[in-house]
Amino acid sequence: MKQILLILLFFVSLGAFAQTGAIRGRIIDNITKQPVIGASVRIDNIQLGATTDTAGVFTINNVPIGTYSVTISSIGFQTKNISEIIITSNKTYYSEIELLEGASTLGEVTVNAFRGENNPMTPVSTYSFSREEIFRNPGAQGDIMRALSVLPGVVSGGSQFSAIAARGQGTQDNVYMVDDIPMFNLSHLEAEGFNSGFNDPNGGRFSIFAPRIIDNVQFQNGGFDAVYGRRSSSYLGLGVKEGNRETWSFSGQFDLLGATLIADGPISEKTSVFASARYQNFAMLINLLDENRSAVSYGDYIIKTTTEINAKNKLSFIAMYNPEGTSRTIDDVAFGTAININDDNSGRNILWNHESSKTVVGLNLRTLINSSSFIKNVLYYRSSTVDNNFGRFNPSLDADGIIIDPRFGGYETNIRHITNNQQEVGYRSIYTRRFNKAALTAGVDAMMLNLDYERRLSRTDTVYSFRTIEIGANPARYYQLLDPSLFNSTFDDNAFNGSAYVTLSWKLSDRFTLNPGIRYDYTGFTEQHMLSPRLSGSYSLSDRHSINFATGIYYQDAAYADIAGQPAGNTLKNEETIQSILGYKIQFSSDLKFVAEGWHKQFYDVAVQPNRAQSYLTNDGSGYAYGADISLIKRLSRNYYGQISYSYMESVRDDNNGLGNYDYIFNIPHTVTLMGSYKPNNKWIFSGKFRYSTGRPTDRYVIHSDVLGTADMLRYAQEVTAVNGDRFPDFISLDIRVDYNVQRRWGTFSAFVDMVNTSNRFNVNAELFIPETGRISNVGLGVFPTFGVRVEL
């Protein structure tokens, strides 16, 4: 009996031992990347903590499993609080944490761990997300791009699209950086060539990052400094999670769309690895929603290693591969009878086959030069390939547009063919040094690009949707002929891009910080030299109140597809934007702030398309945009977070073709967002988000019937009488998410339900004109559900 009791006590004590983990990390200076010695690290609400050693490293052992917030403080630095640190059995949570330099005007204000915020070097329009906030964001389904759409001044194409447009500009106008590597774009399923052979302005549908891949996010809605360029609207910097240097973990998420697998841990004493593989297939969801049949799938594969070579050098390697494919064949459109070609989201007569991929490989070496400076060298290769085929099915219809016999009627599978292959080898070197009252950043970028582009029309095609000015030569013919000689293009060339920049963050007094900077760019394909002066600053009225501002010139490279599509002798110019921002911020507490900002933009040399049926572009466009954003944001700490925001915006363009000003496609005058998340205990999380915005602009038009004048082929035509002269119905969506988490000795089990647009209101994103019936098919989305489970070992 005594032996049995001893055995039971052994297992009980073993179980108790298994219910603890550890926290370990390194604290460094945000500006110099030097270790912070003697920093205090305390786990809130329990009597556990540690102090950093001479290498900035701390360790807290025997932490009971659970979810904690940690407070880090050190003399001369802003106190930082990190929430939602999850401790699992026999695992060590590891993180490298940066502290911002202290400011006497901040008094006793503690700053939560959100990258870039409360940094005098980025005083305006700066927002960030933690990994847990991205994952919890209702309706985002763990997608970083969808999570960003809740920020003030940011809009998207609605629930069907994830690409963002910021403050009166488009989805192609944002700077994207991943681990300091510039990216072509961050989206899947961007329909290049869908819109009469030209790009869809809505952008992509899903980001290329699976949930819990991105560890830190910094977003600036304009006014970013001279370090970043070649795009003019906003800056989005993403940091991929580094591998845990202490212990291994494995996780898998399985949901309605597919699966994601993650491995994270050390592979040697100095090197850690983080690897992720995701595959998504929409067949089940398409059947569940009874949507238009097609095959849609994509994958995202990433590996990142981090090596502490020595005390001064840290090297990271990253490789990403993001393939995708979607198709709609004659078998997909001919799946049954009594199908109405006019139905919303129908597109019943469009056939396509789309394949593309993105590849990135990069090395990032951070070297500490001395106690006040460091240099970062980045070498990378990136490529993007697109291969699109578009065809048409010509079904037999009755008078109401019902397909009589799906398998009767001609079809073509390769009317338009587009290939767009881009490759770039680049090098960036960025030097940072702190002085007594200032911080200097200077750098150079060098890129060699190859663009191999081809757009082919197999025969003369007919376009039944046109603007009035496009048929001026023959006003009695209510259609356009898409001529291969004016559409086809072949381009295969190399170009060099170079940049140099310097910016200074100068602390003029305890209250006033000024950030002047200047950037030089050379763009090889446009053979253009550009100089971009920029200035931002912050003045602290008190320990919690500040006035912030930014102004500058921003140039945007011409899109590669536009460059490649031009006839011989027509060279595009880069677009120019002049921005100004003035804001007021109140930091009520470490996790609660109010921000109000007004902004204005002036646009010059905007690329415009005089005739939508031709690839010829000019830089005759101009325009302006202005607006104001107001937000009250409660960041994630303790057990809840939320946001209330309102944005007003006007964005106007003028193609200078005699028709005057018109609303830009992302002119959204009013946007309201309400979002909240509550965690009553360690098992349940409840989140909700309500979004309202003014409907997006759409063309005003008239319909012409029997435009071919032949009895055996009835066709209608859409004549656009006013570009963006009308609007879609207002966008309204209520998203709800519920998460359930339970920790076991072997790891963590999670389940979630994420419902986009729970009321199933059909929010229209775009319109498709149907020449066979003369009606409009709305493109949009109602309810979009997903659910799944996640296991972490």
Side-chain angles (χ1 to χ4, degrees):
M1 186 66 178
K2 184 177 179 180
Q3 291 177 332
I4 296 174
L5 286 174
L6 288 173
I7 293 173
L8 287 175
L9 286 172
F10 172 77
F11 280 107
V12 168
S13 62
L14 182 64
F17 175 77
Q19 299 304 299
T20 64
I23 301 178
R24 182 177 170 85
R26 172 176 290 170
I27 311 299
I28 63 173
D29 185 324
N30 172 264
I31 294 178
T32 65
K33 310 305 178 187
Q34 296 287 335
V36 178
I37 302 171
S40 172
V41 183
R42 293 288 180 266
I43 302 176
D44 298 343
N45 299 324
I46 63 174
Q47 300 301 314
L48 288 176
T51 302
T52 57
D53 60 18
T54 56
V57 175
F58 70 92
T59 303
I60 306 175
N61 293 316
N62 299 322
V63 182
I65 63 171
T67 303
Y68 300 95
S69 63
V70 171
T71 299
I72 304 143
S73 59
S74 182
I75 297 174
F77 295 91
Q78 297 178 25
T79 300
K80 175 173 285 191
N81 180 268
I82 304 175
S83 60
E84 295 298 312
I85 292 180
I86 300 174
I87 302 301
T88 55
S89 177
N90 287 334
K91 299 290 180 65
T92 298
Y93 176 96
Y94 183 88
S95 180
E96 185 175 273
I97 302 165
E98 297 184 357
L99 294 185
L100 287 167
E101 182 182 8
S104 59
T105 56
L106 281 175
E108 297 301 321
V109 176
T110 299
V111 179
N112 271 32
F114 302 111
R115 184 184 179 192
E117 296 189 12
N118 299 289
N119 187 343
M121 299 177 68
T122 56
V124 298
S125 305
T126 304
Y127 302 91
S128 55
F129 286 102
S130 67
R131 195 156 57 116
E132 188 66 21
E133 284 180 324
I134 298 169
F135 189 73
R136 283 195 200 178
N137 194 298
Q141 299 168 343
D143 190 311
I144 174 58
M145 302 303 288
R146 292 175 179 270
L148 288 170
S149 66
V150 306
L151 293 177
V154 176
V155 297
S156 68
S159 55
Q160 191 172 9
F161 297 89
S162 69
I164 59 171
R167 287 183 171 173
Q169 295 187 252
T171 59
Q172 303 297 318
D173 302 342
N174 309 302
V175 176
Y176 295 133
M177 305 289 290
V178 177
D179 282 2
D180 290 309
I181 298 173
M183 300 288 288
F184 290 118
N185 63 63
L186 303 179
S187 295
H188 279 297
L189 309 178
E190 184 170 352
E192 180 174 350
F194 184 81
N195 185 18
S196 299
F198 303 98
N199 286 349
D200 186 342
N202 292 297
R205 275 75 172 171
F206 299 90
S207 84
I208 60 175
F209 298 105
R212 299 187 180 275
I213 300 300
I214 299 301
D215 196 42
N216 56 74
V217 179
Q218 181 180 349
F219 178 76
Q220 280 190 267
N221 204 347
F224 49 91
D225 63 31
V227 175
Y228 306 106
R230 302 196 174 274
R231 291 290 183 268
S232 61
S233 179
S234 69
Y235 161 77
L236 176 62
L238 303 178
V240 175
K241 186 182 183 305
E242 292 186 356
N244 191 316
R245 295 183 57 188
E246 302 298 322
T247 53
W248 276 96
S249 66
F250 303 90
S251 65
Q253 177 172 311
F254 309 91
D255 55 43
L256 190 61
L257 301 180
T260 302
L261 302 177
I262 295 175
D264 175 8
I267 55 177
S268 72
E269 183 180 349
K270 293 186 175 182
T271 301
S272 64
V273 63
F274 178 85
S276 170
R278 173 173 72 166
Y279 175 75
Q280 305 272 262
N281 191 308
F282 285 68
M284 186 181 301
L285 181 62
I286 289 172
N287 291 333
L288 178 67
L289 299 178
D290 195 25
E291 289 286 343
N292 193 9
R293 289 198 179 185
S294 57
V296 180
S297 64
Y298 58 79
D300 299 296
Y301 309 96
I302 184 169
I303 184 170
K304 178 178 179 177
T305 64
T306 305
T307 303
E308 295 282 349
I309 299 174
N310 51 43
K312 292 184 176 294
N313 292 280
K314 177 181 178 180
L315 177 68
S316 65
F317 166 81
I318 189 170
M320 299 169 51
Y321 178 57
N322 311 97
E324 64 182 64
T326 175
S327 64
R328 180 169 167 79
T329 68
I330 189 62
D331 293 328
D332 294 315
V333 299
F335 64 86
T337 59
I339 302 300
N340 194 321
I341 199 172
N342 301 298
D343 286 346
D344 287 346
N345 271 358
S346 65
R348 300 292 178 188
N349 60 339
I350 302 174
L351 308 176
W352 69 81
N353 182 64
H354 160 84
E355 293 183 357
S356 72
S357 66
K358 303 175 184 68
T359 302
V360 174
V361 179
L363 288 169
N364 189 320
L365 177 64
R366 189 185 74 192
T367 301
L368 305 182
I369 298 175
N370 52 43
S371 62
S372 60
S373 64
F374 77 98
I375 190 169
K376 185 181 295 184
N377 290 285
V378 182
L379 179 65
Y380 66 89
Y381 165 83
R382 62 175 182 165
S383 70
S384 172
T385 65
V386 174
D387 191 333
N388 286 348
N389 280 296
F390 294 91
R392 186 177 298 116
F393 172 46
N394 301 305
S396 176
L397 308 173
D398 66 12
D400 295 322
I402 302 295
I403 300 176
I404 297 173
D405 185 350
R407 299 192 179 276
F408 179 77
Y411 68 91
E412 297 176 82
T413 58
N414 194 9
I415 299 177
R416 300 195 308 267
H417 182 211
I418 296 175
T419 59
N420 184 357
N421 300 323
Q422 305 171 17
Q423 299 183 73
E424 177 178 314
V425 176
Y427 170 71
R428 307 184 70 219
S429 183
I430 308 166
Y431 171 78
T432 299
R433 178 171 181 176
R434 172 187 279 163
F435 298 92
N436 183 32
K437 293 287 185 179
L440 172 74
T441 300
V444 294
D445 298 351
M447 295 149 279
M448 182 58 68
L449 301 96
N450 174 259
L451 175 57
D452 184 0
Y453 183 91
E454 184 176 28
R455 184 171 61 216
R456 287 293 171 190
L457 185 67
S458 63
R459 58 166 175 78
T460 300
D461 200 5
T462 307
V463 178
Y464 294 99
S465 182
F466 54 87
R467 296 177 292 184
T468 300
I469 61 172
E470 293 167 345
I471 58 168
N474 191 351
R477 189 180 73 185
Y478 292 113
Y479 57 88
Q480 279 192 290
L481 295 178
L482 196 60
D483 191 333
S485 66
L486 300 177
F487 179 89
N488 292 353
S489 174
T490 300
F491 187 94
D492 189 358
D493 201 1
N494 300 300
F496 171 80
N497 286 352
S499 304
Y501 40 86
V502 60
T503 184
L504 181 70
S505 182
W506 185 13
K507 193 174 182 179
L508 297 176
S509 70
D510 287 342
R511 295 186 178 274
F512 188 27
T513 300
L514 199 62
N515 307 305
I518 192 165
R519 180 182 178 92
Y520 163 78
D521 290 293
Y522 171 74
T523 303
F525 282 131
T526 61
E527 300 180 347
Q528 192 171 352
H529 301 266
M530 296 150 291
L531 203 61
S532 308
R534 299 173 191 176
L535 178 68
S536 67
S538 176
Y539 182 77
S540 298
L541 301 173
S542 69
D543 61 343
R544 299 176 187 270
H545 303 254
S546 64
I547 299 291
N548 310 290
F549 65 90
T551 188
I553 298 175
Y554 296 79
Y555 286 95
Q556 175 148 318
D557 288 358
Y560 293 157
D562 292 341
I563 291 171
Q566 298 311 297
N570 184 42
T571 301
L572 292 176
K573 294 191 294 184
N574 294 341
E575 299 179 355
E576 179 184 358
T577 302
I578 299 177
Q579 296 187 24
S580 298
I581 303 171
L582 179 62
Y584 171 65
K585 181 172 72 172
I586 306 174
Q587 190 78 43
F588 291 109
S589 64
S590 64
D591 56 1
L592 180 64
K593 70 175 181 178
F594 170 84
V595 178
E597 287 188 344
W599 55 272
H600 181 274
K601 297 180 180 181
Q602 198 73 37
F603 307 113
Y604 302 96
D605 297 327
V606 177
V608 296
Q609 189 177 11
N611 190 313
R612 291 180 180 178
Q614 299 177 13
S615 60
Y616 176 73
L617 302 175
T618 72
N619 287 101
D620 293 338
S622 60
Y624 61 87
Y626 62 90
D629 303 320
I630 301 172
S631 63
L632 180 66
I633 299 178
K634 166 68 172 64
R635 303 310 303 266
L636 180 59
S637 63
R638 301 296 187 265
N639 57 358
Y640 65 95
Y641 80 104
Q643 172 186 325
I644 302 173
S645 64
Y646 166 75
S647 297
Y648 173 77
M649 175 175 62
E650 294 286 346
S651 183
V652 174
R653 296 291 191 275
D654 187 349
D655 291 355
N656 292 301
N657 55 6
L659 298 181
N661 292 343
Y662 63 91
D663 288 341
Y664 184 57
I665 187 172
F666 288 106
N667 181 335
I668 313 293
H670 304 286
T671 301
V672 176
T673 300
L674 307 174
M675 183 180 69
S677 177
Y678 177 62
K679 183 179 180 181
N681 52 52
N682 283 333
K683 290 186 177 181
W684 292 97
I685 303 173
F686 302 94
S687 307
K689 177 172 62 185
F690 172 79
R691 291 177 294 167
Y692 163 84
S693 65
T694 309
R696 283 172 49 187
T698 187
D699 295 335
R700 184 181 299 138
Y701 57 86
V702 295
I703 303 296
H704 302 281
S705 61
D706 195 19
V707 296
L708 297 181
T710 59
D712 58 341
M713 186 176 288
L714 177 63
R715 290 292 184 270
Y716 297 81
Q718 178 191 43
E719 179 182 352
V720 175
T721 58
V723 174
N724 291 343
D726 283 329
R727 286 189 179 271
F728 293 132
D730 292 346
F731 176 91
I732 300 175
S733 179
L734 175 63
D735 308 333
I736 295 176
R737 181 184 177 100
V738 178
D739 291 89
Y740 174 76
N741 304 281
V742 59
Q743 290 194 357
R744 301 299 185 194
R745 293 183 182 180
W746 47 264
T748 303
F749 171 83
S750 305
F752 68 91
V753 176
D754 199 353
M755 298 285 291
V756 178
N757 194 10
T758 56
S759 65
N760 199 25
R761 174 190 171 92
F762 190 85
N763 287 305
V764 181
N765 301 124
E767 293 178 335
L768 288 178
F769 174 69
I770 302 175
E772 290 84 356
T773 64
R775 300 184 189 178
I776 297 293
S777 174
N778 293 319
V779 178
L781 198 65
V783 64
F784 187 91
T786 188
F787 51 85
V789 298
R790 182 175 179 270
V791 176
E792 181 173 353
L793 304 176

